[in-house]
Amino acid sequence: MKYVLGVDLGTSGTKTVLFDQKGKGICSATVEYPMYQPQNGWAEQAPEDWANAAISTIQTVLTRSGVSKDDVVALGISGQMHGLVMLDEKGEVIRPSIIWCDQRTAKECEEITEKVGYENLIRITANPALPGFTLSKLMWVRKHEPENYARCRHILLPKDYVRYILTGDFATEVSDASGMQMLDVPNRCWSVELLKTLDIDPSLLAKVYESCEVTGHVSAQAAAKTGLSEKTLVVGGAGDNAAAAVGTGVVEDGKAFTTIGTSGVVFAHTDKLAIDPKGRVHTFCCAVPGAWHVMGVTQAAGLSLKWFRDTFCAAEKEAAAQMGVDPYELTNQEAAKSPIGANKLLYAPYLMGERTPHLDSDCRGMFFGLSAMHQRRDLLRAVMEGVSYSLNDCLNILAGMGVAPETMLACGGGGKSPLWRQMLADVMNCPVATTVNTEGPALGVAILASVGAGLYPSVQDACRKMIKVNPAQQPIAENVPKYAKVYALYQQLYTANKDLFRQLGGIGE
């Protein structure tokens, strides 16, 4: 039996899973690390934390599983997208990574749009300039930290920094590179035109591969630290959402998934390039060679519930620790006691600004309709419903582009909640299913690794062999109109407060 590794580098932690060639999870390990917010709207992490977590979790799963290192033929890495990792001439980290949810670069986005032109930007990168993307972060460093920019010799994404630590190679792949806003997305290569316009040295960028292509193998130094063989191949891997698509089998037209991780995504595969001219959803190269995906993004999906849990649910966390269960099991139980609409309480999940459909870094989260009657259970349910409505915003835009999935697959931490899945089914009015294996991105990059190692001839064929789907949760007919009524009010919250968000962002400046 041959085995493959999937390393999933997330915002809250890195999880590594060892799979056999049939897609069965053999062993997993997770290491968490912090996120730093030096100022309001900023978000940074230490790349060294990612590397240490990857090495530790790989070592742990190999040790616990008892699988021979020689039978682990390949590994793939999934990563949080858009983060800027800057290395000097010695390959050492220059500054903390500015990660995906950082919102400091609004002015740089304006500069990019002005210099490149909005229509040109859409033509080349398939997306408007957004604070979350890597390009605006790089330009922010050039403007505000010129000494760091001058030292920079290599720019990598989070997962590609871990690749560098494991292999010594500077490489990336098309799905993650699409989110840097320096890739010619239609042609799947760096845009010489854009880099020249913005005076960015192309030598800073890594070589681009397809997601299932082999980019190198484990170095002797990394082999000694992880317990892997130097013969273990490393494939391109994928950005977290592209990896989740592969891990749920969304690799053909007509399939879609929703993920509720730190951020939230509604994602659809397309064999033909499709771009929203208004830039409300993202079009990126997907992990299937020659294909793309369209996705809407909610910045603070699972992050909203985690923030509420950590800030207001100390009792549930303590009780869960004593019971030996996940705290989210108890918060789900509490939320289920509140009715649809959370007793006339709404939540807008804009903790970190918002991408789809508002493209507004100034908007912020809020509870609307609070009264003295509300209990913590109502606030919990309102948070979960608000995230569901935000994801439905994404789905509605995809529907306008001709994407209307028959079944939605759910993944991510929030996708494990039956309550949340039922909310999604009722709000979206479509069946919501899960895969038997819930590893999502880790399984996705393991599938890509299996293709790179020659265990399967294509990504689609590997998915058919390695993925099984559970029965779907169907929409409850009487719930659909109830949610629709609340959703109609939710849709008005942003518009009614847009100017106030901007004014709030200007306080103290």
Side-chain angles (χ1 to χ4, degrees):
M1 178 72 76
K2 300 299 182 183
Y3 298 86
V4 286
L5 276 171
V7 181
D8 181 18
L9 192 166
T11 308
S12 58
T14 288
K15 183 177 187 177
T16 294
V17 187
L18 180 68
F19 298 92
D20 67 20
Q21 64 193 65
K22 296 181 180 179
K24 179 182 178 182
I26 304 301
C27 186
S28 68
T30 301
V31 169
E32 296 186 348
Y33 33 70
M35 178 177 74
Y36 305 99
Q37 294 187 268
Q39 296 187 35
N40 185 31
W42 291 24
E44 298 183 348
Q45 288 187 313
E48 296 88 349
D49 287 346
W50 305 330
N52 292 335
I55 290 169
S56 174
T57 52
I58 291 171
Q59 185 181 55
T60 297
V61 297
L62 288 178
T63 301
R64 289 178 181 172
S65 68
V67 169
S68 169
K69 65 180 182 179
D70 295 322
D71 291 329
V72 182
V73 294
L75 70 84
I77 311 172
S78 161
Q80 51 165 297
M81 297 179 70
H82 315 308
L84 172 66
V85 181
M86 304 177 73
L87 305 182
D88 64 17
E89 61 183 6
K90 296 180 180 179
E92 296 179 353
V93 175
I94 293 173
R95 69 171 324 281
S97 174
I98 305 174
I99 64 171
W100 62 274
C101 53
D102 189 280
Q103 295 293 310
R104 77 183 73 177
T105 62
K107 292 181 179 178
E108 284 71 30
C109 289
E110 292 174 2
E111 180 183 351
I112 292 168
T113 304
E114 180 182 351
K115 289 184 176 180
V116 179
Y118 182 84
E119 292 183 357
N120 259 347
L121 202 56
I122 297 294
R123 174 181 61 83
I124 296 169
T125 73
N127 296 278
L130 296 175
F133 289 172
T134 316
L135 174 59
S136 62
K137 296 176 173 68
L138 179 64
M139 294 181 66
W140 184 92
V141 173
R142 182 164 68 181
K143 181 186 299 181
H144 296 276
E145 299 175 359
E147 69 286 353
N148 285 334
Y149 188 86
R151 292 173 56 202
C152 184
R153 295 295 179 271
H154 302 280
I155 297 167
L156 295 174
L157 292 159
K159 82 171 193 317
D160 299 323
Y161 174 71
V162 172
R163 180 202 318 280
Y164 167 67
I165 294 299
L166 293 177
T167 68
D169 298 318
F170 296 109
T172 189
E173 48 71 47
V174 291
S175 73
D176 215 359
S178 295
M180 294 181 77
Q181 199 143 55
M182 290 178 269
L183 193 78
D184 180 337
V185 171
N187 294 302
R188 309 170 87 86
C189 61
W190 298 122
S191 170
V192 176
E193 175 187 348
L194 184 145
L195 295 175
K196 183 177 181 180
T197 299
L198 297 174
D199 192 26
I200 295 172
D201 186 351
S203 70
L204 295 173
L205 301 173
K207 183 178 178 180
V208 182
Y209 293 81
E210 289 292 336
S211 303
C212 54
E213 281 189 284
V214 174
T215 65
H217 57 83
V218 174
S219 68
Q221 183 179 12
K225 291 181 178 179
T226 61
L228 288 168
S229 165
E230 292 180 49
K231 296 180 181 179
T232 301
L233 302 174
V234 178
V235 300
D240 49 8
N241 296 305
V246 178
T248 52
V250 179
V251 294
E252 298 171 286
D253 279 353
K255 295 189 175 183
F257 78 84
T258 295
T259 184
I260 303 176
T262 303
S263 61
V265 167
V266 177
F267 177 116
H269 177 97
T270 176
D271 287 335
K272 295 181 180 179
L273 183 66
I275 299 174
D276 176 24
K278 295 182 180 179
R280 296 168 298 174
V281 296
H282 306 312
T283 297
F284 293 153
C285 302
C286 75
V288 178
W292 293 264
H293 64 250
V294 183
M295 67 176 185
V297 179
T298 296
Q299 290 278 79
L303 177 62
S304 287
L305 190 59
K306 183 179 186 297
W307 162 78
F308 191 89
R309 182 202 69 177
D310 292 347
T311 307
F312 301 110
C313 297
E316 283 80 0
K317 291 177 71 173
E318 183 177 348
Q322 293 175 353
M323 297 166 63
V325 300
D326 189 327
Y328 288 119
E329 289 187 30
L330 302 188
T331 57
N332 281 342
Q333 291 173 18
E334 279 295 297
K337 296 175 183 176
S338 180
I340 292 173
N343 287 313
K344 299 182 180 180
L345 180 65
L346 280 75
Y347 170 75
Y350 308 142
L351 299 185
M352 304 298 295
E354 191 53 292
R355 287 203 203 172
T356 308
H358 306 306
L359 301 177
D360 189 344
S361 60
D362 287 329
C363 64
R364 289 293 179 265
M366 64 175 154
F367 285 100
F368 176 76
L370 272 172
S371 73
M373 71 160 291
H374 287 122
Q375 302 179 53
R376 183 163 47 191
R377 66 186 60 170
D378 298 312
L379 275 72
L380 277 165
R381 186 175 189 103
V383 168
M384 297 175 76
E385 289 186 357
V387 171
S388 300
Y389 297 141
S390 183
L391 292 168
N392 199 42
D393 279 345
C394 300
L395 182 61
N396 285 340
I397 293 174
L398 296 187
M401 298 172 67
V403 179
E406 296 180 1
T407 300
M408 185 69 69
L409 288 156
C411 61
K416 296 177 182 178
S417 165
L419 174 63
W420 219 336
R421 293 199 304 271
Q422 190 62 57
M423 283 184 189
L424 291 172
D426 295 342
V427 170
M428 295 178 171
N429 196 20
C430 75
V432 174
T434 59
T435 54
V436 172
N437 189 318
T438 60
E439 299 298 351
L443 175 58
V445 290
I447 289 172
L448 296 173
S450 73
V451 176
L455 301 181
Y456 296 99
S458 70
V459 176
Q460 292 91 337
D461 185 67
C463 286
R464 295 185 192 107
K465 297 294 197 312
M466 297 176 73
I467 296 173
K468 295 178 178 61
V469 178
N470 292 311
Q473 287 179 241
Q474 301 294 325
I476 299 173
E478 64 186 51
N479 290 351
V480 173
K482 293 179 181 178
Y483 279 112
K485 187 175 182 179
V486 183
Y487 176 59
L489 183 58
Y490 167 87
Q491 288 181 293
Q492 299 177 56
L493 288 180
Y494 172 78
T495 303
N497 290 278
K498 180 178 180 179
D499 290 340
L500 292 178
F501 288 139
R502 180 177 50 79
Q503 292 177 47
L504 179 64
I507 291 177
E509 292 185 355

